[in-house]
């Protein structure tokens, strides 16, 4: 996962809920947020790391976070076409 965040796709369900593992994955590939357990998609730090790596990863965040100014600003900074 540290070398390829996309590998989270093939991880067992309990590993997708492991906060540290998911943080490593999204730091390497923001799109890995798509495979994270739902509670981690609502974790501001996890989502922020994903969005910093790939602005469009914001689409995988929990609904309440999608309008968070910190996340939307970071998303646009990473990718001006993300929002």
């Amino acid at each position: 996962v540290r070398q390829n965040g996309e590998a989270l796709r093939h991880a067992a369900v309990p590993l997708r809920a492991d906060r540290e593992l998911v943080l490593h994955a999204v730091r390497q590939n923001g799109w890995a947020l798509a495979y994270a357990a739902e509670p981690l998609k609502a974790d501001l730090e996890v989502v922020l790391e994903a969005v910093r790596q790939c602005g469009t990863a914001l689409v995988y965040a929990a609904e309440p976070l999608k309008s968070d100014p910190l996340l939307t600003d970071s998303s646009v900074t990473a990718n001006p076409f993300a929002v």
Side-chain angles (χ1 to χ4, degrees):
V1 170
R2 287 183 186 182
Q3 293 178 350
N4 181 2
E6 186 73 16
L8 190 62
R9 167 191 294 202
H10 305 291
V13 173
L15 294 176
R16 294 178 186 199
D18 182 304
R19 189 171 188 276
E20 290 305 312
L21 182 74
V22 171
L23 276 169
H24 285 294
V26 299
R27 286 177 182 142
Q28 196 284 321
N29 182 338
W31 281 91
L33 184 62
Y35 310 111
E38 291 302 315
L40 294 178
K41 292 179 182 182
D43 182 309
L44 181 61
E45 183 183 0
V46 171
V47 176
L48 182 58
E49 290 293 334
V51 168
R52 283 181 175 159
Q53 200 287 321
C54 177
T56 56
L58 187 59
V59 300
Y60 296 113
E63 266 322 299
L65 292 183
K66 288 182 180 179
S67 59
D68 183 288
L70 176 63
L71 293 174
T72 56
D73 289 350
S74 294
S75 178
V76 172
T77 298
N79 180 351
F81 302 104
V83 180

